């Protein structure tokens, strides 16, 4: 299957031109449509074809405002550096160090090849990294395929040529996984994958806790969120700043460019950090934050980021700050668990044995590809079929999923993004129409999910033949969905005690809705300080939500009913061009 390649054009090598001229040029390029060239029948091409009409395109007012103040716009988040290596168009090409056949894999569809594949991956990691190849064939796997070392790529011969056929689920392989919040739910409904990219130490601690039925936190600071130590406190700063002043000069001298650190912001008794994530509007002050015990368990907010430069007590970061940094939130840079970095999976199909979809929240764990405690990692040209949950980002940041597809009998979460996942990019993605009717026993379909204070994630150039824009409570904020065609037939979930559906700066930009359903797509009447720009004309039916916050939401609506008219066509690509123009 072919897809569009690469990112929009930049303005490299023109630093002598003034910033005002560059910003004007970037606006002009975006207005003309900063896009890749898609192959007919692909996600990007379908989206473009759906936007044809006689309506004259015009540059968005919202876009002009954003271009004038890209890091601090009240409704639109800056996501121009989302994805691995700050949005790099190309993935690393590690040298080939192993072929799974040399470790005993047969690819005959009947031999259990999981041990051989895992031996090859472990050997590559122990040598310092490299690419493990899987030639064409069908490889039965009776265990989880684990990428547990940094700098390791698992590469098939293409999603149409290399197939991993999974015969068992995660409940069988690891054990039942209950929820740390109680009840009879299975956490395999939103965690883990049959291809699981997770650093070795984190994998060991997670699976040990699951086997002991000590249901863990799954994020960057360990099962009990206590595996960190302070590097230095951080002084006051504003959202959008890239340089912060740290309090400890001796600690700053130990920081190094390229080092991954965690910015940690703790809420105060008045819950002003949560209010800030929701936009600081008047409705946030009357909201009953204390009653949202599941939401409050998600803070402190933990944002992993690379250090770009250190000069005295001035530390420059790879990405702009996602929030203000205020003394009352005890801001500090800390350590984190050893992450997985620079690893990927490419060119294969993961197909699970076909079983009926489980009742809601009782998934057994026929899950696809999971990224956990992963940074600067990726998937490219990967298809998952007959899975409970497709592609998962669990405390994963700065990862890119490109040319991915969810197919087969129907999934609970085709894509999910949770447990404080930030700055990820999902582009050129497809959710196919299910091949069999949903079982009648209370199954659920979500779509492209985001929850749990996850922020600055992007879904770009997608075709969704089913599902919805599943904002799943837990107040995710500052996320973008752009240039997507969707048959909007899914539903969102989320516990009542998980708090609001939306924080501030959600943006839906150029969205074609094929079945006229408004829910979770047109968000100007429900999401605070957010933007709906260039969506189809829609109406309310099926699941209908009410705003979580009282009073004026300060949300924007533009180019309603005319997605074909909005310029730029793709908000992420336009921000990439703007970012390059400003360098």
């Amino acid at each position: 299957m072919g897809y569009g390649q690469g990112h929009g054009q930049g303005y490299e090598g023109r630093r002598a031109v003034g910033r005002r001229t560059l910003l004007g040029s970037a606006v002009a390029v975006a207005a003309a449509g900063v896009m890749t060239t898609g192959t007919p029948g692909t996600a990007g091409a379908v989206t473009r074809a759906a936007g044809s009409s006689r309506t004259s395109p015009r540059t968005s007012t919202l876009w002009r405002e954003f271009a004038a103040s890209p890091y601090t716009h009240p409704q639109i988040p800056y996501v121009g550096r989302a994805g691995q290596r700050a949005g790099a168009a190309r993935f690393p090409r590690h040298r080939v160090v192993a072929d799974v056949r040399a470790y005993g894999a047969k690819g005959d569809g009947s031999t259990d090849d999981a041990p051989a594949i895992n031996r090859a991956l472990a050997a590559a990691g122990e040598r310092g990294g490299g690419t493990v190849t899987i030639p064409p064939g069908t490889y039965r796997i009776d265990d989880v395929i684990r990428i547990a070392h940094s700098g390791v790529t698992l590469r098939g011969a293409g999603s149409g040529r290399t197939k991993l056929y999974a015969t068992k689920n995660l409940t069988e392989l690891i054990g039942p996984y209950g929820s740390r919040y109680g009840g009879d739910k299975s956490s395999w409904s939103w965690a883990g994958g049959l291809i699981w990219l997770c650093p070795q130490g984190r994998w060991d601690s997670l699976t040990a806790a699951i086997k002991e039925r000590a249901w863990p936190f799954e994020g960057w600071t360990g099962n009990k969120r206590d595996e960190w130590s302070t590097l230095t406190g951080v002084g006051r700063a504003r959202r959008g700043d890239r340089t912060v002043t740290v309090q400890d000069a001796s600690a700053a001298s130990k920081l190094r460019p390229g080092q991954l650190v965690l910015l940690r912001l703790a809420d105060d008794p008045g819950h002003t950090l949560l209010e800030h994530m929701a936009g600081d509007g008047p409705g946030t002050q009357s909201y009953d934050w204390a009653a949202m015990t599941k939401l409050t368990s998600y803070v402190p907010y933990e944002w992993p980021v690379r250090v770009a430069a250190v000069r005295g007590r001035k530390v420059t970061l790879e990405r702009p700050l996602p929030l203000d940094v205020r003394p009352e939130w005890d801001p500090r840079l800390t350590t984190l668990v050893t992450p997985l970095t620079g690893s990927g999976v490419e060119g294969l199909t993961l197909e699970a044995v076909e079983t009926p979809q489980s009742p809601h929240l009782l998934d057994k764990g026929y899950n696809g590809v999971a990224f956990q405690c992963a940074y600067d990692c990726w998937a490219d040209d990967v298809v998952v079929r007959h899975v409970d949950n497709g592609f998962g980002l669990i405390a994963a940041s700065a990862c890119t999923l490109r040319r991915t597809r969810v197919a087969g009998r129907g999934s609970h979460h085709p894509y999910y993004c949770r447990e404080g996942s930030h700055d990820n990019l999902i582009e050129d993605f497809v959710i196919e129409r299910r091949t069999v009717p949903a079982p009648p026993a209370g199954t659920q379909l979500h779509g492209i999910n985001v929850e749990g204070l996850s922020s600055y994630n992007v879904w770009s150039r997608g075709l969704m033949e089913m599902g919805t824009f599943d904002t799943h409570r837990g107040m995710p904020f500052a996320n973008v969905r752009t240039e997507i065609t969707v048959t909007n037939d899914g539903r969102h979930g989320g516990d009542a005690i998980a708090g609001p559906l939306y924080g501030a700066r959600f943006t839906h930009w150029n969205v074609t809705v094929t079945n006229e359903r408004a829910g979770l797509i047109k968000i100007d009447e429900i999401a605070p300080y957010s933007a709906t720009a260039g969506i189809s004309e829609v109406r309310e039916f099926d699941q209908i939500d009410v705003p979580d916050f009282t009073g004026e939401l300060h949300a924007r609506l533009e180019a309603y009913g005319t997605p074909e008219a909005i310029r730029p066509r793709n908000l992420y690509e336009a921000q990439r061009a703007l970012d390059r123009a400003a360098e």
Side-chain angles (χ1 to χ4, degrees):
M1 58 185 178
Y3 293 78
Q5 298 288 333
H7 292 283
Q9 288 77 25
Y11 292 84
E12 299 174 358
R14 297 174 60 183
R15 291 181 175 82
V17 182
R19 178 175 171 82
R20 183 185 299 273
T21 303
L22 286 171
L23 290 176
S25 300
V27 171
V29 169
V34 180
M35 303 172 61
T36 60
T37 56
T39 303
T42 67
V46 170
T47 305
R48 285 188 287 274
S52 59
S53 85
R54 297 180 181 178
T55 305
S56 298
R58 60 186 177 84
T59 302
S60 158
T61 300
L62 272 166
W63 171 254
R64 289 189 180 278
E65 292 175 4
F66 175 85
S69 182
Y71 306 123
T72 57
H73 193 276
Q75 282 91 14
I76 299 175
Y78 171 77
V79 292
R81 289 178 171 251
Q84 64 95 31
R85 295 188 299 158
R90 296 183 179 181
F91 301 121
R93 300 292 290 181
H94 302 311
R95 65 187 182 90
V96 175
V97 297
D99 182 317
V100 297
R101 293 174 300 185
Y103 288 81
K106 302 299 184 184
D108 57 12
S110 58
T111 304
D112 176 15
D113 286 327
I117 296 170
N118 281 328
R119 283 195 298 269
L121 289 167
E126 289 161 3
R127 289 185 211 140
T131 295
V132 174
T133 59
I134 311 181
T138 297
Y139 297 78
R140 175 180 151 183
I141 56 171
D142 296 348
D143 199 356
V144 178
I145 300 303
R146 295 194 292 114
I147 300 177
H149 296 84
S150 293
V152 173
T153 302
L154 179 64
R155 181 184 301 150
S159 60
R161 303 180 67 201
T162 296
K163 179 195 292 186
L164 304 186
Y165 181 67
T167 63
K168 296 184 179 181
N169 58 58
L170 294 169
T171 301
E172 295 174 281
L173 296 172
I174 297 173
Y177 187 4
S179 170
R180 64 180 183 255
Y181 299 104
D184 60 355
K185 303 171 185 176
S186 167
S187 285
W188 298 128
S189 301
W190 55 76
L194 293 168
I195 299 176
W196 201 332
L197 292 89
C198 181
Q200 185 68 56
R202 196 71 185 97
W203 160 270
D204 291 342
S205 66
L206 281 165
T207 54
I210 292 166
K211 291 174 181 177
E212 295 168 4
R213 296 179 176 255
W215 313 132
F217 282 90
E218 301 157 280
W220 291 103
T221 50
N223 292 349
K224 296 181 180 180
R225 300 192 72 178
D226 60 358
E227 296 176 30
W228 59 274
S229 58
T230 298
L231 297 172
T232 177
V234 179
R236 185 184 295 273
R238 296 292 304 275
R239 172 169 66 94
D241 290 349
R242 282 191 60 194
T243 299
V244 297
T245 302
V246 301
Q247 295 172 349
D248 188 335
S250 63
S253 68
K254 299 175 184 177
L255 297 175
R256 295 289 181 265
Q259 180 179 351
L260 193 62
V261 298
L262 203 67
L263 173 67
R264 187 177 190 270
L265 301 176
D267 205 9
D268 60 6
H271 298 296
T272 60
L273 175 60
L274 291 173
E275 290 179 3
H276 180 54
M277 292 171 177
D280 289 316
T284 66
Q285 298 172 13
S286 60
Y287 188 78
D288 190 0
W289 298 105
M292 303 299 142
T293 53
K294 190 171 183 179
L295 173 64
T296 54
S297 77
Y298 297 153
V299 288
Y301 175 77
E302 296 166 339
W303 182 64
V305 65
R306 287 195 190 280
V307 173
V310 181
R311 180 172 294 178
R313 290 170 53 220
K314 301 290 185 181
V315 178
T316 301
L317 305 173
E318 181 180 32
R319 291 175 170 83
L321 288 176
L323 295 163
D324 288 355
V325 173
R326 302 177 187 172
E328 56 265 34
W329 300 331
D330 189 24
R332 55 181 80 190
L333 297 181
T334 76
T335 61
L336 62 161
V337 298
T338 302
L340 186 77
T341 60
S343 294
V345 55
E346 304 174 348
L348 57 82
T349 290
L350 172 64
E351 181 175 316
V353 59
E354 187 170 359
T355 59
Q357 186 177 347
S358 296
H360 191 218
L361 301 178
L362 297 178
D363 294 350
K364 296 179 176 66
Y366 289 107
N367 294 347
V369 183
F371 293 78
Q372 187 156 12
C373 296
Y375 194 96
D376 278 341
C377 293
W378 71 92
D380 183 32
D381 183 26
V382 176
V383 177
V384 297
R385 183 174 288 115
H386 303 322
V387 294
D388 293 337
N389 301 281
F391 293 88
L393 297 160
I394 311 120
S397 291
C399 295
T400 297
L401 311 184
R402 183 177 298 154
R403 301 191 301 163
T404 57
R405 181 180 293 256
V406 180
R409 51 88 157 155
S411 301
H412 178 190
H413 294 97
Y415 292 82
Y416 60 97
C417 179
R418 53 177 294 272
E419 200 79 12
S421 290
H422 314 293
D423 304 302
N424 297 293
L425 170 64
I426 301 94
E427 63 181 358
D428 299 313
F429 66 94
V430 177
I431 301 173
E432 293 185 4
R433 174 65 54 185
R434 63 188 311 139
T435 54
V436 297
T443 59
Q444 185 65 275
L445 165 67
H446 296 311
I448 51 175
N449 158 275
V450 61
E451 58 182 286
L453 296 182
S454 297
S455 62
Y456 293 85
N457 301 289
V458 179
W459 291 262
S460 171
R461 295 195 307 265
L463 172 62
M464 299 173 60
E465 295 179 348
M466 64 177 190
T468 192
F469 290 3
D470 172 35
T471 306
H472 209 91
R473 298 202 177 275
M475 203 172 69
F477 65 94
N479 296 283
V480 167
R481 292 138 169 171
T482 182
E483 200 179 351
I484 298 171
T485 295
V486 55
T487 300
N488 185 21
D489 61 359
R491 298 168 68 85
H492 77 76
D495 290 342
I497 58 171
L501 280 170
Y502 302 92
R505 296 185 302 285
F506 257 85
T507 301
H508 293 170
W509 189 283
N510 184 8
V511 179
T512 299
V513 183
T514 65
N515 62 339
E516 299 185 345
R517 181 179 167 222
L520 300 166
I521 308 292
K522 185 177 183 291
I523 57 173
D524 58 294
E525 296 180 358
I526 190 168
Y529 289 92
S530 292
T532 304
I535 70 162
S536 306
E537 189 170 335
V538 292
R539 56 193 173 89
E540 292 282 3
F541 63 91
D542 193 24
Q543 188 178 46
I544 299 173
D545 291 296
V546 298
D548 289 292
F549 302 107
T550 59
E552 173 60 46
L553 293 175
H554 301 281
R556 302 278 294 275
L557 179 67
E558 185 182 36
Y560 175 56
T562 57
E564 69 278 3
I566 194 76
R567 291 293 184 275
R569 294 287 298 273
N570 186 294
L571 182 61
Y572 170 73
E573 298 291 349
Q575 289 196 23
R576 289 285 296 155
L578 192 67
D579 184 65
R580 293 176 183 178
E583 289 180 352

